[in-house]
Amino acid sequence: SQQGEEDPQALSIQEGENATMNCSYKTSINNLQWYRQNSGRGLVHLILIRSNEREKHSGRLRVTLDTSKKSSSLLITASRAADTASYFCATASNTGNQFYFGTGTSLTVIP
Amino acid sequence: DAGVIQSPRHEVTEMGQEVTLRCKPISGHNSLFWYRQTMMRGLELLIYFNNNVPIDDSGMPEDRFSAKMPNASFSTLKIQPSEPRDSAVYFCASSKQTQGQPYGYTFGSGTRLTVV
């Protein structure tokens, strides 16, 4: 299966702390993306990192990609209560145009 | 742009009934995807279309499921007959594919289907 797996499944932190989520996948990829899903809503695209990139930043988000280990991490710095959501990684194969989503990390930021 | 629009938001139906879910992608997007989300299985890709043509329907669970995209602005996912195990949230997503360029999806708010 191309599906990624996020780790941990659930994470609870205090507001202001940093949150780190990891994603592992199995096959070669063209790019990897992170999405956020608030309860009862659709997924929102956060950031995309290409297979030839190692690190990318967007505001308080930092994504790393290690293709040799087939893993990625999402770091949210200075977390806020509004960051409470589930976070998913999605991978696209070199030959496919469709994305396969991981099982998600449920993040709770306590005010 | 209003984003990806799905209807209905909620659907409760009896086992054996036909269910039709609808999706309007973002104007100008040429790819459309149907996903199903459950606690047990997470997000599953059911089918995707490129330029209104079904490209990969290997994720469609059974012949009871069918999807169409008659034009660039409309798609349906039909379940006939529906079963309780079809209960899930069904998401539609669209994107603009350009050759050589990776892209992100825009998701709709989903249809929560309950089959009793």
Side-chain angles (χ1 to χ4, degrees):
Chain A
S1 167
Q2 292 176 291
Q3 193 172 32
E5 291 185 12
E6 285 90 343
D7 169 59
Q9 285 191 323
L11 180 62
S12 183
I13 59 174
Q14 294 289 329
E15 199 166 32
E17 293 180 340
N18 296 341
T20 299
M21 289 158 270
N22 303 296
C23 169
S24 60
Y25 56 92
K26 296 178 181 178
T27 62
S28 297
I29 60 170
N30 176 277
N31 65 84
L32 183 146
Q33 303 185 20
W34 285 89
Y35 288 78
R36 183 186 71 217
Q37 184 179 33
N38 289 84
S39 180
R41 309 294 290 272
L43 282 77
V44 175
H45 178 256
L46 294 176
I47 194 166
L48 178 153
I49 186 165
R50 303 176 192 225
S51 58
N52 60 355
E53 297 176 311
R54 292 296 167 257
E55 187 171 315
K56 202 161 184 179
H57 296 252
S58 177
R60 294 184 296 113
L61 305 180
R62 173 179 167 243
V63 170
T64 63
L65 179 64
D66 187 337
T67 53
S68 66
K69 295 182 180 178
K70 292 186 169 57
S71 67
S72 173
S73 69
L74 171 67
L75 169 67
I76 304 174
T77 60
S79 63
R80 305 167 183 169
D83 295 329
T84 295
S86 292
Y87 291 81
F88 295 85
C89 68
T91 55
S93 68
N94 287 329
T95 55
N97 293 318
Q98 62 267 47
F99 284 94
Y100 295 92
F101 286 81
T103 50
T105 291
S106 176
L107 173 66
T108 301
V109 181
I110 303 167
Chain B
D1 199 323
V4 176
I5 300 172
Q6 290 186 247
S7 65
R9 285 298 308 274
H10 302 274
E11 175 83 30
V12 180
T13 190
E14 291 185 346
M15 183 173 65
Q17 296 296 308
E18 177 180 296
V19 175
T20 299
L21 311 180
R22 297 173 176 78
C23 175
K24 177 178 168 51
I26 289 177
S27 177
H29 282 191
N30 59 355
S31 293
L32 183 141
F33 307 81
W34 282 100
Y35 282 86
R36 177 173 68 177
Q37 186 177 37
T38 61
M39 288 293 291
M40 292 297 294
R41 294 172 174 265
L43 272 159
E44 300 173 278
L45 175 64
L46 300 178
I47 185 171
Y48 91 93
F49 295 84
N50 192 36
N51 294 321
N52 313 338
V53 176
I55 302 300
D56 185 352
D57 65 355
S58 59
M60 296 285 262
E62 299 170 33
D63 290 345
R64 298 183 296 106
F65 286 70
S66 63
K68 293 182 180 180
M69 192 165 186
N71 56 63
S73 59
F74 184 64
S75 176
T76 60
L77 178 67
K78 185 177 293 186
I79 308 172
Q80 165 65 16
S82 58
E83 296 183 4
R85 59 194 167 119
D86 301 331
S87 297
V89 181
Y90 290 81
F91 287 102
C92 175
S94 71
S95 70
K96 184 172 184 178
Q97 286 194 23
T98 55
Q99 196 165 1
Q101 277 286 91
Y103 48 86
Y105 290 7
T106 302
F107 278 79
S109 297
T111 294
R112 182 174 295 277
L113 173 66
T114 303
V115 183
V116 298

